[in-house]
Amino acid sequence: MKTKHYNVFVIGSGIAGQTVAKACVKQKLTVAIADNREFGGTCANRGCDPKKTLIQFSAFLEQSHRLEKIGVSKLPKISWKKVQQFKTQFVEDIPVKTEENLKELKIDLYHQSPEFINENQVLVEGKTISADYFVIATGNTPRILPIKGNQYLETSDTILNMEKIPKSASFIGSGYVGMEFATMLAILGCKVTVFEQGDKALSNFDQFLVEKLIVKMKDLGVNFIFNSEVSSIEKLNKNLRIKYKENGKKKRHKSRKVFNTAGRVPSVKDLKLDNANIKLDETGIVVNDFLQSTTNKKVYACGDVSSLSLPLTPLSGLQGYIVGENIINNNKKEFQFPVVPSTVFTQPNLSSIGLQEDEAKKRYKNILVFKGEATDWFNAKKSNQNTYAYKIIVNKRTEEIVGAHILSELANENINLFSMAISNKMTVSEFKRLIFTYPSYSNDLKAMLADED
Ligand SMILES: Cc1cc2nc3c(=O)[nH]c(=O)nc-3n(C[C@H](O)[C@H](O)[C@H](O)COP(=O)(O)OP(=O)(O)OC[C@H]3O[C@@H](n4cnc5c(N)ncnc54)[C@H](O)[C@@H]3O)c2cc1C
Ligand SMILES: NC(=O)c1ccc[n+]([C@@H]2O[C@H](COP(=O)([O-])OP(=O)(O)OC[C@H]3O[C@@H](n4cnc5c(N)ncnc54)[C@H](O)[C@@H]3O)[C@@H](O)[C@H]2O)c1
């Protein structure tokens, strides 16, 4: 059997894996990357980018609906076929361009899942490969729901490539993926039902804002069934039948499609981690602060698959950078969680950064909470928007802003100003001294800090 040696062997070609590989090859190390799907990872091929491309059309339609009442005389029609063609145009180039770029850098590519055969070697494409370091950057994959008929469940991959909008669809799970696509499909005319096992959606987000988002989504036609336990999916003629219990009561529901949006788990199934003594738990590959496996020092893990991850693209990129530095400089950089903003791309957007109110209460002796609705402010009124709210958390003693949560059309952009403010430990008065353009949603951020709740 053929054998080969690399300084660094990376598994996974998403942002985390590519960042490590590029940093190492720049330092003249020999590097290879293996991926068992199209090169380029989740975000670019089947996550953030194609999603945002599609969602801009439902967002435009929702905005047109609002403006219809105040001046738009004819609602635009969305040609879903064309929208898909437009998205495909640039998404389909990603794997080819990624491979070309990596090959130009002299990184060897493998197109299969490697499996560890011992602590120092993997088997891939019939070759035994040894390396000074292995980097696992395989991301997450949808959790398999252990229910009867789970073969009929589809994932976000299908939604992103759907040729037409189904008449009806159900989502199991009301996290990021479920809420974003439920909103998109409802606006595009699909009858949407969301099943959630818990009693709230987006449980990691501020519930004062989530409740307002739910009201808006209900207005857009989304039906929520909380405290529900889906037990089986059956295939009917055109529909799928969902059997579920709601608060213990047996019920049924029919829809054309059922999407599994019940969360994502570390993608490690094919790697045979046990053979290399790599510890895994439900949060991912267990790593120390250098993002190195706690049980096999030749192995690093970064991005969604690492136990220290928060599955978001910017954080995966940062972890890839840190692993690259640690391989090159022999563990000099510890990973510390930065303040990470995130957005749920519903209509409007729900964005969050820093501490939640309950976290801040635990951390500081006294806090100030600036919270309210901004539906009677100019920005909401001019666009006939009935959903606009915020909650900003401040450490009372120092006046520093420590958390910001916004539900607004431009929350995904505005939250980045709070990212700068929190990272730089800005106080309320320092933030309010900044001059922003008028009229703008950014300028509203200062008004949000006017009255304490
Ligand atoms: C629908 C959707 C929308 C999202 N939207 C956003 C968003 O708007 N903003 C945001 O910040 N984040 C978003 N995310 C999350 C974001 O995509 C991830 O956090 C990010 O892609 C993680 O990067 P990564 O490099 O760690 O892993 P990935 O990008 O997942 O890359 C892992 C790579 O490893 C490969 N792989 C897996 N198993 C194996 C194996 N056994 N052998 C070889 N290769 C393997 C995969 O094929 C993949 O190419 C979204 C995710 C989804 C699913
Ligand atoms: N805009 C973004 O930044 C973005 C978008 C998509 C995904 N992501 C990332 O991907 C990760 C995964 O997102 P996700 O939405 O798949 O998962 P999630 O963990 O955010 O949400 C899963 C939801 O499904 C529910 N659930 C689990 N099992 C269930 C069951 N059997 N029946 C009913 N409900 C069930 C959970 O209670 C939870 O509310 C996120 O944590 C996020 O970091 C980010």
Side-chain angles (χ1 to χ4, degrees):
M1 187 176 293
K2 287 182 187 164
T3 58
K4 194 157 171 77
H5 183 84
Y6 292 98
N7 296 127
V8 184
F9 189 87
V10 181
I11 312 174
S13 68
I15 179 146
Q18 281 191 56
T19 307
V20 180
K22 288 177 183 173
C24 292
V25 88
K26 218 171 159 185
Q27 297 302 318
K28 309 268 181 277
L29 300 179
T30 55
V31 180
I33 303 191
D35 202 303
N36 61 354
R37 288 188 70 171
E38 55 277 34
F39 269 60
T42 303
C43 185
N45 285 306
R46 50 188 177 275
C48 338
D49 295 353
K51 172 197 74 185
K52 194 69 173 37
T53 308
L54 299 184
I55 279 181
Q56 69 176 336
F57 291 94
S58 55
F60 172 63
L61 198 56
E62 192 270 334
Q63 186 191 23
S64 309
H65 273 286
R66 275 187 279 115
L67 299 185
E68 188 195 8
K69 295 168 191 139
I70 54 170
V72 169
S73 51
K74 209 167 167 205
L75 281 177
K77 273 203 168 142
I78 306 284
S79 160
W80 191 249
K81 207 172 152 193
K82 278 196 181 161
V83 168
Q84 280 290 8
Q85 280 166 358
F86 171 68
K87 178 216 75 186
T88 305
Q89 238 176 52
F90 58 89
V91 170
E92 72 184 358
D93 284 350
I94 303 276
V96 182
K97 289 199 167 142
T98 307
E99 290 202 23
E100 278 172 6
N101 174 245
L102 295 171
K103 279 183 199 158
E104 265 170 35
L105 294 170
K106 306 265 181 281
I107 295 172
D108 283 356
L109 308 185
Y110 294 86
H111 296 84
Q112 227 180 43
S113 174
E115 51 184 57
F116 282 93
I117 42 184
N118 55 46
E119 294 201 5
N120 308 302
Q121 290 177 313
V122 293
L123 186 66
V124 63
E125 294 182 6
K127 289 193 187 98
T128 300
I129 289 178
S130 59
D132 299 333
Y133 296 106
F134 293 94
V135 177
I136 303 177
T138 49
N140 282 344
T141 181
R143 175 201 312 285
I144 293 176
L145 283 176
I147 56 173
K148 208 169 130 202
N150 64 6
Q151 70 271 27
Y152 302 118
L153 292 173
E154 294 179 87
T155 66
S156 49
D157 287 8
T158 320
I159 309 176
L160 290 168
N161 294 308
M162 249 166 6
E163 281 175 12
K164 53 182 191 187
I165 302 303
K167 278 202 167 125
S168 55
S170 297
F171 290 82
I172 305 179
S174 63
Y176 283 82
V177 180
M179 294 292 272
E180 290 179 342
F181 287 122
T183 309
M184 180 186 90
L185 288 185
I187 294 168
L188 294 170
C190 175
K191 200 166 174 292
V192 174
T193 301
V194 177
F195 292 86
E196 168 57 53
Q197 66 181 6
D199 59 1
K200 44 173 123 44
L202 295 167
S203 55
N204 293 330
F205 281 81
D206 183 86
Q207 290 298 308
F208 166 70
L209 300 180
V210 172
E211 278 166 22
K212 293 183 193 313
L213 175 63
I214 299 272
V215 170
K216 176 71 175 195
M217 286 174 69
K218 284 183 179 169
D219 276 356
L220 295 171
V222 179
N223 173 34
F224 286 91
I225 307 181
F226 290 106
N227 301 307
S228 57
E229 190 189 320
V230 174
S231 55
S232 69
I233 315 288
E234 273 168 52
K235 177 125 184 67
L236 305 174
N237 201 5
K238 280 187 176 164
N239 285 303
L240 294 168
R241 176 160 42 221
I242 301 167
K243 286 189 181 167
Y244 68 99
K245 276 188 190 163
E246 185 184 359
N247 293 316
K249 241 182 165 180
K250 281 187 183 171
K251 295 193 173 173
R252 295 159 171 224
H253 177 82
K254 278 192 295 195
S255 64
R256 292 286 159 94
K257 300 262 178 199
V258 185
F259 297 110
N260 171 5
T261 51
R264 294 168 62 82
V265 294
S267 179
V268 291
K269 177 169 76 54
D270 302 320
L271 299 176
K272 300 204 173 163
L273 298 177
D274 285 347
N275 290 343
N277 189 30
I278 300 166
K279 188 174 172 193
L280 175 80
D281 69 15
E282 64 288 348
T283 62
I285 291 174
V286 182
V287 289
N288 60 21
D289 288 343
F290 300 109
L291 302 177
Q292 189 176 32
S293 159
T294 52
T295 47
N296 180 343
K297 298 290 180 232
K298 286 187 88 141
V299 173
Y300 288 85
C302 52
D304 285 7
V305 78
S306 95
S307 63
L308 290 183
S309 82
L310 219 178
L312 295 169
T313 294
L315 210 67
S316 291
L318 173 67
Q319 289 202 343
Y321 162 75
I322 287 175
V323 167
E325 288 283 305
N326 282 337
I327 290 176
I328 295 159
N329 298 321
N330 200 13
N331 282 0
K332 293 270 173 355
K333 258 199 166 43
E334 291 190 6
F335 173 70
Q336 278 163 352
F337 267 105
V339 274
V340 187
S342 83
T343 291
V344 191
F345 290 96
T346 42
Q347 291 322 308
N349 292 170
L350 175 61
S351 299
S352 180
I353 186 164
L355 298 179
Q356 298 287 341
E357 186 176 346
D358 56 345
E359 292 170 328
K361 275 183 181 149
K362 281 184 208 147
R363 175 95 52 103
Y364 304 109
K365 201 164 169 204
N366 292 302
I367 60 166
L368 300 173
V369 177
F370 296 85
K371 116 182 180 193
E373 285 204 67
T375 44
D376 59 352
W377 295 7
F378 171 71
N379 275 316
K381 281 203 289 197
K382 70 143 182 16
S383 48
N384 201 23
Q385 173 60 272
N386 59 6
T387 309
Y388 185 11
Y390 59 90
K391 187 188 274 186
I392 321 287
I393 324 273
V394 170
N395 174 1
K396 190 172 180 183
R397 186 180 63 80
T398 58
E399 255 222 351
E400 274 172 30
I401 301 167
V402 294
H405 313 276
I406 312 171
L407 178 65
S408 95
E409 284 178 60
L410 286 188
N412 66 318
E413 299 290 349
N414 286 163
I415 203 70
N416 296 320
L417 288 174
F418 279 116
S419 182
M420 282 201 262
I422 295 176
S423 307
N424 291 299
K425 300 188 179 304
M426 275 179 102
T427 63
V428 171
S429 1
E430 283 165 346
F431 190 82
K432 281 165 79 176
R433 267 205 298 275
L434 298 171
I435 305 289
F436 294 142
T437 53
Y438 183 86
S440 68
Y441 278 83
S442 314
N443 199 54
D444 284 356
L445 304 181
K446 293 198 288 175
M448 288 176 190
L449 289 161
D451 301 310
E452 190 200 339
D453 182 45

